[in-house]
Amino acid sequence: MEKVIEIENLTKSYGKFKAIDDLSIYVEKGKIFGLLGPNGSGKSTTINCILSLLNFEKGSIKIFGKEMQPNCYDIKSKIGVVFQDVAVFDELTVYENINYFCGLYIKNKKKREQYVEDAIKLTGLGEFKKFRPKQLSGGLLRRLNIACGIAHKPELIFLDEPTVAVDPQSRNSILEGIKELNKNGATIVYTTHYMEEVEQLCNRIAILDKGKVIALGTKEALKELTTMGEKITVEAPNLKKAIVSELKTMENIIDVKYEDATLFVTYKKGEDNLEKMISFLKENNVKYTKIFSELPTLNDVFLELTGKQLRD
Amino acid sequence: MIVFKNYFNIVKRHLGIIIMFSAISIGVSVINTSYTSTEDYVSVEPKIAVINYDESSLSNNFVDYITERAEIVEVEDNEKAIQDSLYLNKVDSILIIPDNFGANLLMGNEPNVKIKKSTQNVSEYTELLVNRYFKIAENYSKVGMTENEIINNIEKDIQNEIEVKVSSENQSDMEKLAVYYSFENYAFLSIFTFIIGTIMCIFNKETIRKRNNVSKLNPKSFSNQLFLGHMTLTLSIWAIFILISVILYKDLMFTINGLLLILNSLCFAITATSLAYLIGCLIKNENVISGIQNVISLGLSFISGCFVPIEWLDTNIINFSKIFPSYWFIQGNYDITKLSTFNYETIQPVIQNCGIILAFGIIYLSISKIIIAKKVKN
């Protein structure tokens, strides 16, 4: 598979603080690559280094097989970027904003007009063409931000936390739009600290912490990294302490917690964990109102690898 | 040219304030001009006593010349009477013409006229009168004219001088024009700093700059398009100021003085744009624009003679103001309106002045380019 981005041993420091520490990753053509990590893990710094917005001390960055430099305008012409902070002109309308940012890449007026219309359609801003940014809601503003970044139909798109502070409806619309872009052939680098988005969108994921890649692979491969098999939750009021203690001594169990009349049991990998749990509850005459099992998430992987939550 | 086009989309949103700002400036400028009085002096004839030891035709002609321009007072020809009349201000000055006055003048020598002056300022005028006569006489004696020829020519010259004064009735309008054009110093600096500062802040917003930097647009092309936008806008405002001056002073504006004023003003408009661009490169916060705008426009206007005549200012202030284009622009305006003959020698200083103004513009623009290059590198 053709590699669109190749990063080797990238190191970037701010004084004594290492923001990126010997980072090596690659992104394949036509895929959605996720950079997952808590705030301050080095996601945005990595993006800024890739885009030559920041200098770095060590390492190399190749895009489309060429070493990336600030004056590589041929590479830049194939890239679209949607930054975390909304970057639009308050004085211009939705249409004028998209037209300006698209115009930085596309000189032909007719072609540009078509591209702007396509971007408006993709982001669902058709009704708001003549609106100014200040007249838009937070979600619509984010969509405008995306439209400005992708209107010129780039081959490689960087989306840096595009759904921060967005309502669920707009978030779904944005995620659908990203899938559409990928379907049309764009390679996407997606940074976020929302694991659900990464799970929903990305083919390959790098989990970052303190500037280092602590895990890299497909979501399935990453989940294999955890010793946890599943998490069983039982809603059982008035559970005796002795039963909780007995559960802890059972085989294949990692952790048991009983809080707010709910029992949380974390199991190691095993095929009949739920069956065993139900049998145990029956044997001990425990009355429960609900029981369900959850497979491990990327957050669980992160928790196990670092000892902290993704959103910490 | 997408940045250039976008520039005017942004300007469109600020058009109201730009028009209001320009209209107020033009209005104040016109009002300021209408209140400019060019007749704020009282003509005073000095009181002069003449003691003539020479009875030549030239000395008599000289006495006639003085009599026409001063109030002649009789004073006895002795030292005590002379001292008393000066001390008691009966006369402002006393001219003592030696007996070889005519002969000396004919030979082109110094005529050695003694001038005794009182402490009154008006006595300085006597010296001016005397020197003017001697200069004319000297020019004719040097080419070997006879006494009568010299007298005839002096009378003709003096007559011509009077005719010139009569024909320059529009001199007061010229001075008003100089005031109108000099007020452009305040207007341009104020309007340009505000507009350019505001637009630069919009384009230099961190988020927008980042997006421009990752695009395929070369930063050089970006800043050039932005500067072109500034220049187009400021020259449009400049053209409005010129148009108003043409409407108000139609007759004067189609003279060489008028054209030179336009040239001087164009040079200043370009330099003011460069200065505003430099300020725009340095400003990071939109809120400080009005403060900087006032400091620059009012400060430079006060020290360069836009609001008060430069003669009223301290020498140190005048020397300081020479390091700014405003001084050269305002002085240029007054120098241009005083011009009555036009040849290489009289126009050359005006052109030189324009060159100095443009040199300031080039310096400001070069500093801006260095700042931009440094920002891009960072």
Side-chain angles (χ1 to χ4, degrees), chain A residues 134-281:
Chain A
K134 281 188 177 163
Q135 296 170 298
L136 300 176
S137 67
L140 289 173
L141 202 57
R142 287 271 160 198
R143 286 199 234 167
L144 171 61
N145 196 33
I146 293 172
C148 291
I150 54 98
H152 59 288
K153 299 193 175 172
E155 291 176 37
L156 173 62
I157 303 170
F158 290 89
L159 294 147
D160 191 4
E161 310 216 22
T163 57
V164 169
V166 165
D167 59 280
Q169 196 191 345
S170 286
R171 176 175 294 185
N172 286 338
S173 164
I174 289 170
L175 296 181
E176 286 308 314
I178 292 166
K179 281 181 195 168
E180 181 80 21
L181 287 168
N182 179 242
K183 219 169 85 184
N184 293 339
T187 306
I188 293 169
V189 176
Y190 192 87
T191 81
T192 184
H193 59 258
Y194 296 125
M195 54 163 186
E196 314 85 39
E197 289 181 1
V198 171
E199 287 198 48
Q200 196 181 331
L201 287 173
C202 302
N203 310 103
R204 276 180 83 238
I205 301 152
I207 299 180
L208 294 185
D209 187 43
K210 293 177 183 168
K212 280 188 174 179
V213 177
I214 55 168
L216 178 70
T218 61
K219 59 186 170 199
E220 292 80 14
L222 290 179
K223 284 175 186 175
E224 284 300 315
L225 294 173
T226 174
T227 51
M228 180 184 143
E230 62 189 305
K231 199 189 281 174
I232 294 174
T233 308
V234 185
E235 281 181 18
N238 308 320
L239 197 67
K240 287 175 186 166
K241 272 187 181 175
I243 291 175
V244 176
S245 303
E246 197 184 333
L247 253 179
K248 282 181 183 172
T249 61
M250 283 178 69
E251 194 190 350
N252 220 26
I253 283 178
I254 300 170
D255 189 34
V256 180
K257 265 184 207 163
Y258 184 64
E259 287 169 358
D260 302 327
T262 309
L263 183 70
F264 302 97
V265 186
T266 311
Y267 278 91
K268 287 180 192 165
K269 287 183 178 104
E271 281 179 3
D272 49 359
N273 290 332
L274 184 60
E275 211 174 294
K276 280 179 185 167
M277 183 68 193
I278 292 169
S279 303
F280 173 81
L281 294 172

Side-chain angles (χ1 to χ4, degrees), chain A residues 55-115:
Chain A
N55 292 324
F56 47 89
E57 297 97 78
K58 224 179 89 186
S60 75
I61 296 170
K62 279 185 186 171
I63 301 182
F64 299 113
K66 272 177 79 178
E67 199 80 34
M68 183 61 174
Q69 299 286 336
N71 57 357
C72 288
Y73 300 112
D74 53 334
I75 296 178
K76 284 182 172 182
S77 67
K78 296 179 195 170
I79 296 176
V81 188
V82 177
F83 289 105
Q84 192 174 341
D85 297 317
V86 176
V88 293
F89 290 97
D90 290 336
E91 291 78 6
L92 304 184
T93 62
V94 164
Y95 186 91
E96 287 168 339
N97 262 301
I98 303 171
N99 185 51
Y100 168 73
F101 289 110
C102 185
L104 295 175
Y105 302 84
I106 311 291
K107 283 186 181 168
N108 183 295
K109 200 181 167 192
K110 272 197 172 171
K111 192 177 173 187
R112 191 168 69 232
E113 280 170 358
Q114 185 54 51
Y115 278 24

Side-chain angles (χ1 to χ4, degrees), chain B residues 112-151:
Chain B
N112 296 325
V113 172
K114 275 187 188 166
I115 305 172
K116 296 198 171 197
K117 292 184 283 187
S118 71
T119 51
Q120 301 292 309
N121 285 336
V122 71
S123 62
E124 301 294 334
Y125 181 59
T126 311
E127 209 161 349
L128 278 176
L129 277 176
V130 171
N131 286 339
R132 194 194 294 169
Y133 185 90
F134 290 166
K135 218 164 198 182
I136 300 169
E138 191 188 6
N139 286 339
Y140 291 120
S141 66
K142 272 185 181 168
V143 292
M145 285 188 181
T146 62
E147 193 170 25
N148 282 339
E149 281 171 337
I150 291 173
I151 291 167

Side-chain angles (χ1 to χ4, degrees), chain B residues 193-207:
Chain B
T193 309
F194 174 76
I195 298 170
I196 293 176
T198 305
I199 291 172
M200 292 287 277
C201 275
I202 292 168
F203 275 95
N204 284 337
K205 214 160 70 177
E206 170 89 28
T207 51

Side-chain angles (χ1 to χ4, degrees), chain B residues 91-352:
Chain B
V91 290
D92 297 312
S93 38
I94 296 169
L95 294 179
I96 302 169
I97 303 170
D99 57 359
N100 54 357
F101 173 87
N104 273 339
L105 262 188
L106 269 176
M107 285 187 284
N109 294 336
E110 192 66 37
N112 296 325
V113 172
K114 275 187 188 166
I115 305 172
K116 296 198 171 197
K117 292 184 283 187
S118 71
T119 51
Q120 301 292 309
N121 285 336
V122 71
S123 62
E124 301 294 334
Y125 181 59
T126 311
E127 209 161 349
L128 278 176
L129 277 176
V130 171
N131 286 339
R132 194 194 294 169
Y133 185 90
F134 290 166
K135 218 164 198 182
I136 300 169
E138 191 188 6
N139 286 339
Y140 291 120
S141 66
K142 272 185 181 168
V143 292
M145 285 188 181
T146 62
E147 193 170 25
N148 282 339
E149 281 171 337
I150 291 173
I151 291 167
N152 286 339
N153 279 315
I154 288 173
E155 278 173 356
K156 262 188 213 164
D157 281 1
I158 290 166
Q159 190 57 37
N160 282 344
E161 195 179 283
I162 292 162
E163 279 166 10
V164 168
K165 277 185 182 168
V166 171
S167 68
S168 64
E169 271 174 346
N170 54 16
Q171 188 60 28
S172 62
D173 276 347
M174 268 293 181
E175 279 181 38
K176 282 184 178 180
L177 202 54
V179 171
Y180 176 88
Y181 270 84
S182 296
F183 193 78
E184 281 180 356
N185 176 68
Y186 171 73
F188 287 174
L189 288 174
S190 177
I191 300 171
F192 295 178
T193 309
F194 174 76
I195 298 170
I196 293 176
T198 305
I199 291 172
M200 292 287 277
C201 275
I202 292 168
F203 275 95
N204 284 337
K205 214 160 70 177
E206 170 89 28
T207 51
I208 301 283
R209 212 180 56 223
K210 232 169 139 183
R211 196 161 241 172
N212 284 328
N213 285 347
V214 297
S215 77
K216 72 169 198 176
L217 181 74
N218 188 322
K220 252 189 198 169
S221 163
F222 172 77
S223 63
N224 287 345
Q225 286 186 52
L226 209 57
F227 188 72
L228 189 65
H230 294 322
M231 215 34 119
T232 310
L233 179 66
T234 54
L235 290 186
S236 307
I237 295 168
W238 168 80
I240 295 170
F241 271 82
I242 299 300
L243 190 70
I244 301 288
S245 73
V246 171
I247 293 167
L248 291 176
Y249 303 99
K250 202 166 38 186
D251 296 337
L252 297 179
M253 287 313 294
F254 292 104
T255 61
I256 296 176
N257 300 75
L259 295 176
L260 287 174
L261 280 174
I262 292 174
L263 175 71
N264 195 40
S265 165
L266 175 66
C267 294
F268 183 71
I270 292 169
T271 298
T273 308
S274 298
L275 177 60
Y277 184 63
L278 170 63
I279 294 163
C281 287
L282 297 168
I283 289 176
K284 283 181 182 167
N285 186 347
E286 222 171 315
N287 299 327
V288 301
I289 293 173
S290 61
I292 292 176
Q293 170 203 3
N294 285 329
V295 169
I296 296 285
S297 57
L298 289 173
L300 290 185
S301 297
F302 271 114
I303 64 167
S304 304
C306 173
F307 295 150
V308 287
I310 198 128
E311 298 81 23
W312 294 7
L313 299 173
D314 183 72
T315 323
N316 291 329
I317 294 175
I318 295 171
N319 287 336
F320 177 64
S321 71
K322 285 179 185 171
I323 60 169
F324 298 104
S326 299
Y327 170 85
W328 303 96
F329 169 60
I330 293 168
Q331 286 314 299
N333 285 335
Y334 285 103
D335 290 346
I336 290 166
T337 49
K338 279 173 197 158
L339 284 181
S340 53
T341 51
F342 301 97
N343 52 43
Y344 177 73
E345 274 177 18
T346 54
I347 291 179
Q348 194 204 17
V350 175
I351 303 296
Q352 222 166 10

